[in-house]
Each structure stands twice: as structure tokens, then as C-alpha cells.
Amino acid sequence: MTTTIIRLLIVDDDPLVRAGLTFMLGGADDIEIVGEASDGSEVDALVRERTPDVVLMDIRMPVMDGLTATEQLRARAGAPEVLVLTTFHADEQVLRAMRAGAAGFVLKDTPPAEIVAAVRQVAAGEPVLSPAVTRQLMHHVAGAPTGVRKDTATGRLARLAEREREVALAVGRGSSNAEIAAELFMSVPTVKAHVSRILAKLDLNNRVQIALLVHDADLVADGD
């Protein structure tokens, strides 16, 4: 059976961190390191040249930070997935990266095997952000939605059919597909189908952005 190779670009301003990540991730049979960048300003050209599947992106860099680089990258058609590399669990910049379309984040002190697993998960189109961490980011970092943000989010969610809206609200509460299926009396494949339609209708990248949109609409109670 042929192994699918994941092409990975590493972006970090610390050469020792880049060297460690290259050594660690390059040892996986299904991961190929196709390039390194020391700043976000180098990302666009490298992505065009090396065509990575996943970009492992540091947040804090001197010239162009990882947030700006992520926003620019994810705005492009056919952009690679972005996995944010950070030292903080709940950080405003991490939250903004999620809004920009990053597929998740890993901490720099995460065990090597878990970082490898996260790269594989992102490459497979699955966000690396547990429901619990999503809720931590939303409740402890985002704060109360502003009036404009709330109105915009409410308007976007109004595009959904009733069942899609129920699924979106459950995603916003941090429920897994299995939990949503049990709550709404549907199969897990049906839940997945609803999530896919929600993403397409609202032009979102992943379920993390669905959860953030529900939060922006102020539809998640503090006690949930």
C-alpha cells in the first residue's frame, strides 16, 4: 500500500526550534519537510514554490507575525492547512488565527509524537482543537461579542436551515459529532453531512470557525 506523503513547511524565527522540529518531524515516514522560513514574510513565496500540504506556523516573529501570514495564506484559493505553533493555551493571537482559518494549534512543549499526530490530522482535513480548548479560547479570551460582530454573525447563521442551525449551535457548545447525533436523534454520518453543508453555506474552513461564529452571535450560555 502506497503511503501518502505530507509535505510540510516549518515557519519559526528561532533556528534551534526549526532544527528540532525538522529533526523530529522529518523522521516520520509519511512527512517530508519541503522548506523552512524564519519569518512570516517568507511564507507566500515558499508556499508557491514548494506547495506544502501543511504549514507549521509560529505566531510571534519579528517582521511579519504568524497571524498576518496565516490570514494572507488562507485567503488564497487552494491554500495549505495551517497548524499554529505557540507557547500559550489561550491567547488572543491564537484565537485570531483560528478566525483566519488555521486548523488548530499545538504548544511548543507538546510531546513529539503528538505534534506528528497533529500534522497528520490537519493534513487529513480534521481540526486540531478539542471542544474543551475551543470553549476555553472563546470564554476566556474572546470576551463579550461587540454589537457589529454579533449582528454580522447572527445574519450569517440566519442562512442556515433549521436542522443545520441546531447542529451549528451544538458545535458552538463544544459537542462532538457523536454527542450531537445523540442529542438531535440522527446518525453520525448525517451530522458530518450537516457540518459540511454549514461550512459550504457560510464559507468557513472548519468546525472551529463554526463554534466561533456561534459565540460571536452570543448563542452560547455562560453555563454551557
Side-chain angles (χ1 to χ4, degrees):
M1 184 175 178
T2 303
T3 301
T4 300
I5 301 299
I6 301 167
R7 297 171 60 81
L8 179 68
L9 175 66
I10 296 174
V11 186
D12 195 294
D13 65 327
D14 187 333
L16 291 178
V17 172
R18 292 200 309 274
L21 289 169
T22 297
F23 176 78
M24 175 180 64
L25 294 165
D29 293 339
D30 57 343
I31 296 177
E32 177 186 359
I33 309 299
V34 297
E36 298 179 19
S38 60
D39 190 80
S41 60
E42 304 168 11
V43 171
D44 186 70
L46 279 172
V47 166
R48 294 179 187 278
E49 179 185 345
R50 309 290 173 83
T51 61
D53 301 303
V54 177
V55 177
L56 186 57
M57 183 87 74
D58 187 21
I59 285 286
R60 291 169 174 81
M61 292 179 286
V63 180
M64 179 186 288
D65 61 32
L67 171 63
T68 303
T70 297
E71 290 173 338
Q72 292 183 357
L73 189 58
R74 292 300 300 171
R76 287 174 39 186
E81 298 292 348
V82 175
L83 183 60
V84 172
L85 191 63
T86 182
T87 54
F88 298 94
H89 281 279
D91 178 84
E92 177 63 27
Q93 289 186 307
V94 172
L95 183 72
R96 289 175 61 192
M98 298 302 106
R99 293 188 188 282
F105 74 90
V106 291
L107 300 176
K108 288 190 175 183
D109 60 359
T110 298
E114 293 183 22
I115 295 182
V116 171
V119 169
R120 289 171 177 156
Q121 190 170 330
V122 167
E126 302 172 7
V128 180
L129 202 59
S130 70
V133 173
T134 302
R135 293 170 69 180
Q136 178 188 7
L137 281 169
M138 290 190 295
H139 288 292
H140 297 290
V141 179
T146 64
V148 172
R149 203 168 75 198
K150 179 177 178 180
D151 290 345
T152 300
T154 300
R156 295 182 71 185
L157 290 170
R159 303 176 197 169
L160 302 178
E162 182 179 355
R163 205 58 165 160
E164 293 165 348
R165 180 181 171 85
E166 291 175 348
V167 171
L169 294 182
V171 170
R173 291 193 294 271
S175 299
S176 67
N177 285 342
E179 290 169 339
I180 296 171
E183 176 187 344
L184 299 180
F185 304 102
M186 60 177 68
S187 68
V188 171
T190 300
V191 173
K192 291 180 178 179
H194 279 304
V195 170
S196 295
R197 284 196 292 273
I198 293 166
L199 294 174
K201 276 190 176 183
L202 303 183
D203 193 25
L204 301 175
N205 289 288
N206 53 54
R207 67 190 292 127
V208 175
Q209 289 187 319
I210 297 175
L212 290 171
L213 193 65
V214 170
H215 171 78
D216 285 348
D218 203 18
L219 296 175
V220 179
D222 291 338
D224 283 350

